[in-house]
Amino acid sequence: MSTGTLFDKVWDLHTVRILPSGQTQLFIGLHLIHEVTSPQAFAMLRDRKLKVLFPDRTVATVDHIVPTENQHRPFVDDLAEEMMRAIETNAKDNNIPFYNIGSGNQGIVHVIAPEQGLTQPGMTIACGDSHTSTHGAFGAIAFGIGTSQVRDVLATQTLALSKLKVRKIEVNGTLPPGVYAKDVVLHIIRKLGVKGGVGYAYEYAGTTFEAMSMEERMTVCNMAIEGGARCGYINPDEVTFEYLKGRDFSPKGQDWDKAVEWWKSIRSDANAQYDDVVVFDAGEIEPTVTWGITPGQGIGVTEVVPTPESLPEGDRFIAQEAYEYMQLKPGSPIMGTPVDVCFIGSCTNGRISDLREAAKFAQGRQVASGVKAFVVPGSERVKQQAEAEGLDKIFTQAGFEWREAGCSMCLAMNPDKLVGDQISASSSNRNFKGRQGSSTGRTLLMSPAMVVAAAVNGKVSDVRQFI
Ligand SMILES: CC(C)[C@H](C(=O)O)[C@@H](O)C(=O)O
Ligand code: SF4
């Protein structure tokens, strides 16, 4: 009887050889590329007169620099235009499928690959982007890589890597109303720390994840990296197969049945050995908001900003830095903190189910005066689907702006930026200093439903008041 984890099985199946260094040369089934981390990699290939080895295992899109309002070419921002031209040329010259703006398939790389069925269980997936962990929601081993590794994958379709340990994170029970996948992952990072996962792959297991949709699972795996784990995954099940069935790149006919059989075989065995196991109870999770400058600095919305004394000693230094930067007082409630900007979008929470849930709370309500609120769909498909359902109307009637697909104010490499020390309620995944386009801008991470509550009240609020 086999006794492995999904991680071990997929790793072993993709091992080309063990290198003299002790590292594994790992075959990469799917390589996703975007405009920010690929230009130098292609330049290095050109310098060495190398070709892309498997263009059909490579998929390109643009997301980070894409303007969400005026998309006329050339872009107003010269650097954005330059990056755009580079990926257009590199994709064309190397016969790489490229989902450009207006193709109907463009969007954030971690949104478009799953929605097209490119992401499948048992695959190894790499992308020059830390949130590649998202794809682990399907039971793939997916991780972010640096630009020199992008070069390696383009040239060889392999990577030299050290094997990770596996920590099983079990969450059991039903999520209380108003508590979402985002709250679960913020809670996990709060408890295990932003560095807790270094050296580990996180396997998310238990009845809470089993009950989640694929999109909710993606939200959780997306933020594995924020907890320090290079990849996070969930064993594929009927929910996974149901999601994949009929997608553009999903296997068809007999191939489908064979694939499902194989996907089932790579799941972690009941008696698999883990390097560590932690268990949480879903019932103890509240709608969560970050108050600081790392995604681990989160609290329940009814809690107060922690005092230094209430924190483990190792967390106090960064807490001091956070109080100052965020202009928040230890011991004061997070609820009621006024917000200037409300952003719904990103590869964490810019999918159709996120927009549906946000629209439920926006319907019939109004964004508070003085608050700028906007919704950026994660992909052109998400945008189109949302419009077919009339969600755009709900948002605009409530006073939100409705934009084109892209990363937008998640990291503000496009024109959507905070100004000065504005504070935003954001459905994205990082609250680092200066993350949203202003070196003094402040970010409070939360679920899309909580962003709507903040937008309507003009301050951090408990979405459960609207239920
Ligand atoms: C630009 C890219 C390299 C970066 C990442 O790796 O994650 C970005 O997507 C981010 O979210 O900070
Ligand atoms: S949406 Fe944000 S986190 Fe996701 S890839 Fe884009 S910039 Fe990175």
PDB file of all heavy atoms in Angstrom, residues 137-166:
ATOM      1  N   ALA A 137      -4.410  24.726  -5.463  1.00  0.00           N
ATOM      2  CA  ALA A 137      -5.806  24.429  -5.132  1.00  0.00           C
ATOM      3  C   ALA A 137      -6.316  23.203  -5.887  1.00  0.00           C
ATOM      4  O   ALA A 137      -7.249  22.538  -5.452  1.00  0.00           O
ATOM      5  CB  ALA A 137      -6.685  25.634  -5.456  1.00  0.00           C
ATOM      6  N   PHE A 138      -5.683  22.916  -7.020  1.00  0.00           N
ATOM      7  CA  PHE A 138      -6.104  21.784  -7.857  1.00  0.00           C
ATOM      8  C   PHE A 138      -5.320  20.504  -7.538  1.00  0.00           C
ATOM      9  O   PHE A 138      -5.498  19.487  -8.200  1.00  0.00           O
ATOM     10  CB  PHE A 138      -5.920  22.127  -9.345  1.00  0.00           C
ATOM     11  CG  PHE A 138      -6.871  23.187  -9.812  1.00  0.00           C
ATOM     12  CD1 PHE A 138      -6.628  24.531  -9.526  1.00  0.00           C
ATOM     13  CD2 PHE A 138      -8.017  22.850 -10.504  1.00  0.00           C
ATOM     14  CE1 PHE A 138      -7.515  25.509  -9.931  1.00  0.00           C
ATOM     15  CE2 PHE A 138      -8.915  23.826 -10.920  1.00  0.00           C
ATOM     16  CZ  PHE A 138      -8.665  25.163 -10.632  1.00  0.00           C
ATOM     17  N   GLY A 139      -4.424  20.581  -6.564  1.00  0.00           N
ATOM     18  CA  GLY A 139      -3.577  19.417  -6.313  1.00  0.00           C
ATOM     19  C   GLY A 139      -2.402  19.391  -7.267  1.00  0.00           C
ATOM     20  O   GLY A 139      -1.890  18.330  -7.625  1.00  0.00           O
ATOM     21  N   ALA A 140      -1.980  20.584  -7.693  1.00  0.00           N
ATOM     22  CA  ALA A 140      -0.748  20.709  -8.484  1.00  0.00           C
ATOM     23  C   ALA A 140       0.355  21.171  -7.530  1.00  0.00           C
ATOM     24  O   ALA A 140       0.070  21.757  -6.492  1.00  0.00           O
ATOM     25  CB  ALA A 140      -0.925  21.736  -9.586  1.00  0.00           C
ATOM     26  N   ILE A 141       1.604  20.880  -7.874  1.00  0.00           N
ATOM     27  CA  ILE A 141       2.727  21.422  -7.120  1.00  0.00           C
ATOM     28  C   ILE A 141       3.175  22.655  -7.891  1.00  0.00           C
ATOM     29  O   ILE A 141       3.787  22.552  -8.960  1.00  0.00           O
ATOM     30  CB  ILE A 141       3.858  20.381  -6.983  1.00  0.00           C
ATOM     31  CG1 ILE A 141       3.345  19.181  -6.173  1.00  0.00           C
ATOM     32  CG2 ILE A 141       5.090  20.996  -6.327  1.00  0.00           C
ATOM     33  CD1 ILE A 141       2.752  19.532  -4.817  1.00  0.00           C
ATOM     34  N   ALA A 142       2.835  23.800  -7.372  1.00  0.00           N
ATOM     35  CA  ALA A 142       3.003  25.046  -8.120  1.00  0.00           C
ATOM     36  C   ALA A 142       3.722  26.070  -7.258  1.00  0.00           C
ATOM     37  O   ALA A 142       3.342  26.274  -6.105  1.00  0.00           O
ATOM     38  CB  ALA A 142       1.632  25.582  -8.521  1.00  0.00           C
ATOM     39  N   PHE A 143       4.745  26.684  -7.825  1.00  0.00           N
ATOM     40  CA  PHE A 143       5.510  27.638  -7.013  1.00  0.00           C
ATOM     41  C   PHE A 143       6.081  28.761  -7.857  1.00  0.00           C
ATOM     42  O   PHE A 143       6.277  28.633  -9.063  1.00  0.00           O
ATOM     43  CB  PHE A 143       6.633  26.926  -6.261  1.00  0.00           C
ATOM     44  CG  PHE A 143       7.353  25.921  -7.093  1.00  0.00           C
ATOM     45  CD1 PHE A 143       8.342  26.308  -7.953  1.00  0.00           C
ATOM     46  CD2 PHE A 143       6.987  24.573  -7.035  1.00  0.00           C
ATOM     47  CE1 PHE A 143       8.980  25.377  -8.743  1.00  0.00           C
ATOM     48  CE2 PHE A 143       7.622  23.637  -7.832  1.00  0.00           C
ATOM     49  CZ  PHE A 143       8.615  24.042  -8.690  1.00  0.00           C
ATOM     50  N   GLY A 144       6.369  29.850  -7.184  1.00  0.00           N
ATOM     51  CA  GLY A 144       6.959  31.007  -7.830  1.00  0.00           C
ATOM     52  C   GLY A 144       8.460  30.819  -8.014  1.00  0.00           C
ATOM     53  O   GLY A 144       9.103  30.145  -7.207  1.00  0.00           O
ATOM     54  N   ILE A 145       8.993  31.421  -9.067  1.00  0.00           N
ATOM     55  CA  ILE A 145      10.430  31.344  -9.352  1.00  0.00           C
ATOM     56  C   ILE A 145      10.961  32.728  -9.710  1.00  0.00           C
ATOM     57  O   ILE A 145      10.187  33.620 -10.049  1.00  0.00           O
ATOM     58  CB  ILE A 145      10.735  30.333 -10.503  1.00  0.00           C
ATOM     59  CG1 ILE A 145       9.930  30.688 -11.773  1.00  0.00           C
ATOM     60  CG2 ILE A 145      10.435  28.896 -10.054  1.00  0.00           C
ATOM     61  CD1 ILE A 145      10.208  29.763 -12.958  1.00  0.00           C
ATOM     62  N   GLY A 146      12.280  32.880  -9.624  1.00  0.00           N
ATOM     63  CA  GLY A 146      12.914  34.144  -9.987  1.00  0.00           C
ATOM     64  C   GLY A 146      13.229  34.183 -11.481  1.00  0.00           C
ATOM     65  O   GLY A 146      13.099  33.169 -12.183  1.00  0.00           O
ATOM     66  N   THR A 147      13.670  35.348 -11.929  1.00  0.00           N
ATOM     67  CA  THR A 147      13.878  35.525 -13.368  1.00  0.00           C
ATOM     68  C   THR A 147      14.927  34.571 -13.956  1.00  0.00           C
ATOM     69  O   THR A 147      14.761  34.081 -15.072  1.00  0.00           O
ATOM     70  CB  THR A 147      14.236  36.996 -13.665  1.00  0.00           C
ATOM     71  OG1 THR A 147      13.100  37.790 -13.341  1.00  0.00           O
ATOM     72  CG2 THR A 147      14.571  37.219 -15.118  1.00  0.00           C
ATOM     73  N   SER A 148      16.002  34.272 -13.204  1.00  0.00           N
ATOM     74  CA  SER A 148      16.999  33.360 -13.775  1.00  0.00           C
ATOM     75  C   SER A 148      16.428  31.939 -13.880  1.00  0.00           C
ATOM     76  O   SER A 148      16.791  31.172 -14.767  1.00  0.00           O
ATOM     77  CB  SER A 148      18.290  33.371 -12.965  1.00  0.00           C
ATOM     78  OG  SER A 148      18.015  33.052 -11.632  1.00  0.00           O
ATOM     79  N   GLN A 149      15.487  31.624 -12.984  1.00  0.00           N
ATOM     80  CA  GLN A 149      14.815  30.320 -13.107  1.00  0.00           C
ATOM     81  C   GLN A 149      13.805  30.331 -14.257  1.00  0.00           C
ATOM     82  O   GLN A 149      13.587  29.297 -14.893  1.00  0.00           O
ATOM     83  CB  GLN A 149      14.128  29.960 -11.788  1.00  0.00           C
ATOM     84  CG  GLN A 149      15.119  29.653 -10.660  1.00  0.00           C
ATOM     85  CD  GLN A 149      14.398  29.392  -9.350  1.00  0.00           C
ATOM     86  OE1 GLN A 149      13.629  30.229  -8.896  1.00  0.00           O
ATOM     87  NE2 GLN A 149      14.633  28.240  -8.758  1.00  0.00           N
ATOM     88  N   VAL A 150      13.224  31.478 -14.521  1.00  0.00           N
ATOM     89  CA  VAL A 150      12.334  31.579 -15.694  1.00  0.00           C
ATOM     90  C   VAL A 150      13.154  31.234 -16.940  1.00  0.00           C
ATOM     91  O   VAL A 150      12.726  30.461 -17.801  1.00  0.00           O
ATOM     92  CB  VAL A 150      11.710  32.991 -15.815  1.00  0.00           C
ATOM     93  CG1 VAL A 150      10.941  33.141 -17.125  1.00  0.00           C
ATOM     94  CG2 VAL A 150      10.793  33.290 -14.632  1.00  0.00           C
ATOM     95  N   ARG A 151      14.364  31.781 -16.986  1.00  0.00           N
ATOM     96  CA  ARG A 151      15.280  31.443 -18.087  1.00  0.00           C
ATOM     97  C   ARG A 151      15.513  29.926 -18.144  1.00  0.00           C
ATOM     98  O   ARG A 151      15.420  29.319 -19.208  1.00  0.00           O
ATOM     99  CB  ARG A 151      16.617  32.163 -17.873  1.00  0.00           C
ATOM    100  CG  ARG A 151      17.725  31.714 -18.807  1.00  0.00           C
ATOM    101  CD  ARG A 151      19.091  31.995 -18.204  1.00  0.00           C
ATOM    102  NE  ARG A 151      19.298  31.276 -16.957  1.00  0.00           N
ATOM    103  CZ  ARG A 151      20.246  31.553 -16.054  1.00  0.00           C
ATOM    104  NH1 ARG A 151      21.064  32.571 -16.255  1.00  0.00           N
ATOM    105  NH2 ARG A 151      20.367  30.840 -14.953  1.00  0.00           N
ATOM    106  N   ASP A 152      15.786  29.326 -16.991  1.00  0.00           N
ATOM    107  CA  ASP A 152      16.062  27.880 -16.959  1.00  0.00           C
ATOM    108  C   ASP A 152      14.879  27.072 -17.479  1.00  0.00           C
ATOM    109  O   ASP A 152      15.058  26.107 -18.225  1.00  0.00           O
ATOM    110  CB  ASP A 152      16.378  27.427 -15.524  1.00  0.00           C
ATOM    111  CG  ASP A 152      17.668  28.042 -14.993  1.00  0.00           C
ATOM    112  OD1 ASP A 152      18.417  28.637 -15.793  1.00  0.00           O
ATOM    113  OD2 ASP A 152      17.918  27.932 -13.780  1.00  0.00           O
ATOM    114  N   VAL A 153      13.684  27.463 -17.077  1.00  0.00           N
ATOM    115  CA  VAL A 153      12.498  26.701 -17.522  1.00  0.00           C
ATOM    116  C   VAL A 153      12.263  26.928 -19.015  1.00  0.00           C
ATOM    117  O   VAL A 153      11.950  25.987 -19.744  1.00  0.00           O
ATOM    118  CB  VAL A 153      11.238  27.069 -16.705  1.00  0.00           C
ATOM    119  CG1 VAL A 153      10.049  26.225 -17.154  1.00  0.00           C
ATOM    120  CG2 VAL A 153      11.478  26.848 -15.215  1.00  0.00           C
ATOM    121  N   LEU A 154      12.444  28.163 -19.459  1.00  0.00           N
ATOM    122  CA  LEU A 154      12.274  28.413 -20.904  1.00  0.00           C
ATOM    123  C   LEU A 154      13.231  27.531 -21.707  1.00  0.00           C
ATOM    124  O   LEU A 154      12.857  26.934 -22.719  1.00  0.00           O
ATOM    125  CB  LEU A 154      12.536  29.890 -21.242  1.00  0.00           C
ATOM    126  CG  LEU A 154      11.490  30.904 -20.786  1.00  0.00           C
ATOM    127  CD1 LEU A 154      11.980  32.328 -21.026  1.00  0.00           C
ATOM    128  CD2 LEU A 154      10.144  30.681 -21.488  1.00  0.00           C
ATOM    129  N   ALA A 155      14.473  27.436 -21.253  1.00  0.00           N
ATOM    130  CA  ALA A 155      15.504  26.728 -22.017  1.00  0.00           C
ATOM    131  C   ALA A 155      15.459  25.213 -21.838  1.00  0.00           C
ATOM    132  O   ALA A 155      15.778  24.466 -22.761  1.00  0.00           O
ATOM    133  CB  ALA A 155      16.891  27.259 -21.629  1.00  0.00           C
ATOM    134  N   THR A 156      15.066  24.742 -20.660  1.00  0.00           N
ATOM    135  CA  THR A 156      15.192  23.296 -20.374  1.00  0.00           C
ATOM    136  C   THR A 156      13.909  22.629 -19.897  1.00  0.00           C
ATOM    137  O   THR A 156      13.844  21.416 -19.772  1.00  0.00           O
ATOM    138  CB  THR A 156      16.249  23.050 -19.270  1.00  0.00           C
ATOM    139  OG1 THR A 156      15.724  23.510 -18.009  1.00  0.00           O
ATOM    140  CG2 THR A 156      17.558  23.767 -19.559  1.00  0.00           C
ATOM    141  N   GLN A 157      12.890  23.431 -19.587  1.00  0.00           N
ATOM    142  CA  GLN A 157      11.634  22.934 -18.999  1.00  0.00           C
ATOM    143  C   GLN A 157      11.873  22.230 -17.659  1.00  0.00           C
ATOM    144  O   GLN A 157      11.049  21.454 -17.184  1.00  0.00           O
ATOM    145  CB  GLN A 157      10.895  22.006 -19.987  1.00  0.00           C
ATOM    146  CG  GLN A 157       9.384  21.918 -19.774  1.00  0.00           C
ATOM    147  CD  GLN A 157       8.655  23.243 -19.978  1.00  0.00           C
ATOM    148  OE1 GLN A 157       9.026  24.074 -20.805  1.00  0.00           O
ATOM    149  NE2 GLN A 157       7.620  23.485 -19.181  1.00  0.00           N
ATOM    150  N   THR A 158      13.026  22.487 -17.052  1.00  0.00           N
ATOM    151  CA  THR A 158      13.317  21.900 -15.741  1.00  0.00           C
ATOM    152  C   THR A 158      13.889  22.960 -14.802  1.00  0.00           C
ATOM    153  O   THR A 158      14.292  24.042 -15.238  1.00  0.00           O
ATOM    154  CB  THR A 158      14.344  20.745 -15.830  1.00  0.00           C
ATOM    155  OG1 THR A 158      15.590  21.280 -16.284  1.00  0.00           O
ATOM    156  CG2 THR A 158      13.884  19.641 -16.773  1.00  0.00           C
ATOM    157  N   LEU A 159      13.920  22.605 -13.539  1.00  0.00           N
ATOM    158  CA  LEU A 159      14.487  23.484 -12.514  1.00  0.00           C
ATOM    159  C   LEU A 159      15.329  22.651 -11.555  1.00  0.00           C
ATOM    160  O   LEU A 159      15.014  21.483 -11.330  1.00  0.00           O
ATOM    161  CB  LEU A 159      13.360  24.107 -11.687  1.00  0.00           C
ATOM    162  CG  LEU A 159      12.620  25.296 -12.269  1.00  0.00           C
ATOM    163  CD1 LEU A 159      11.422  25.615 -11.386  1.00  0.00           C
ATOM    164  CD2 LEU A 159      13.534  26.510 -12.376  1.00  0.00           C
ATOM    165  N   ALA A 160      16.355  23.242 -10.990  1.00  0.00           N
ATOM    166  CA  ALA A 160      17.123  22.586  -9.929  1.00  0.00           C
ATOM    167  C   ALA A 160      16.560  23.066  -8.603  1.00  0.00           C
ATOM    168  O   ALA A 160      16.611  24.261  -8.287  1.00  0.00           O
ATOM    169  CB  ALA A 160      18.593  22.960 -10.055  1.00  0.00           C
ATOM    170  N   LEU A 161      16.014  22.133  -7.830  1.00  0.00           N
ATOM    171  CA  LEU A 161      15.312  22.530  -6.595  1.00  0.00           C
ATOM    172  C   LEU A 161      15.616  21.579  -5.456  1.00  0.00           C
ATOM    173  O   LEU A 161      15.891  20.398  -5.679  1.00  0.00           O
ATOM    174  CB  LEU A 161      13.795  22.486  -6.819  1.00  0.00           C
ATOM    175  CG  LEU A 161      13.192  23.472  -7.812  1.00  0.00           C
ATOM    176  CD1 LEU A 161      11.777  23.043  -8.142  1.00  0.00           C
ATOM    177  CD2 LEU A 161      13.182  24.886  -7.234  1.00  0.00           C
ATOM    178  N   SER A 162      15.534  22.090  -4.245  1.00  0.00           N
ATOM    179  CA  SER A 162      15.634  21.232  -3.069  1.00  0.00           C
ATOM    180  C   SER A 162      14.225  20.861  -2.644  1.00  0.00           C
ATOM    181  O   SER A 162      13.319  21.705  -2.677  1.00  0.00           O
ATOM    182  CB  SER A 162      16.317  21.974  -1.926  1.00  0.00           C
ATOM    183  OG  SER A 162      17.596  22.391  -2.354  1.00  0.00           O
ATOM    184  N   LYS A 163      14.063  19.622  -2.249  1.00  0.00           N
ATOM    185  CA  LYS A 163      12.726  19.149  -1.891  1.00  0.00           C
ATOM    186  C   LYS A 163      12.246  19.826  -0.604  1.00  0.00           C
ATOM    187  O   LYS A 163      13.036  20.076   0.309  1.00  0.00           O
ATOM    188  CB  LYS A 163      12.763  17.637  -1.704  1.00  0.00           C
ATOM    189  CG  LYS A 163      11.399  16.999  -1.781  1.00  0.00           C
ATOM    190  CD  LYS A 163      11.487  15.489  -1.838  1.00  0.00           C
ATOM    191  CE  LYS A 163      10.097  14.896  -1.834  1.00  0.00           C
ATOM    192  NZ  LYS A 163      10.133  13.444  -1.854  1.00  0.00           N
ATOM    193  N   LEU A 164      10.955  20.119  -0.560  1.00  0.00           N
ATOM    194  CA  LEU A 164      10.378  20.758   0.623  1.00  0.00           C
ATOM    195  C   LEU A 164       9.861  19.708   1.601  1.00  0.00           C
ATOM    196  O   LEU A 164       9.575  18.578   1.214  1.00  0.00           O
ATOM    197  CB  LEU A 164       9.207  21.655   0.198  1.00  0.00           C
ATOM    198  CG  LEU A 164       9.532  22.812  -0.741  1.00  0.00           C
ATOM    199  CD1 LEU A 164       8.243  23.436  -1.269  1.00  0.00           C
ATOM    200  CD2 LEU A 164      10.368  23.869  -0.029  1.00  0.00           C
ATOM    201  N   LYS A 165       9.736  20.109   2.872  1.00  0.00           N
ATOM    202  CA  LYS A 165       9.026  19.276   3.836  1.00  0.00           C
ATOM    203  C   LYS A 165       7.527  19.567   3.650  1.00  0.00           C
ATOM    204  O   LYS A 165       7.152  20.531   2.977  1.00  0.00           O
ATOM    205  CB  LYS A 165       9.459  19.658   5.260  1.00  0.00           C
ATOM    206  CG  LYS A 165      10.910  19.292   5.543  1.00  0.00           C
ATOM    207  CD  LYS A 165      11.281  19.567   6.985  1.00  0.00           C
ATOM    208  CE  LYS A 165      11.570  21.036   7.199  1.00  0.00           C
ATOM    209  NZ  LYS A 165      12.049  21.372   8.534  1.00  0.00           N
ATOM    210  N   VAL A 166       6.696  18.733   4.254  1.00  0.00           N
ATOM    211  CA  VAL A 166       5.251  18.949   4.110  1.00  0.00           C
ATOM    212  C   VAL A 166       4.598  19.120   5.482  1.00  0.00           C
ATOM    213  O   VAL A 166       4.780  18.288   6.367  1.00  0.00           O
ATOM    214  CB  VAL A 166       4.564  17.781   3.366  1.00  0.00           C
ATOM    215  CG1 VAL A 166       3.076  18.093   3.159  1.00  0.00           C
ATOM    216  CG2 VAL A 166       5.235  17.515   2.023  1.00  0.00           C
TER     217      VAL A 166
END
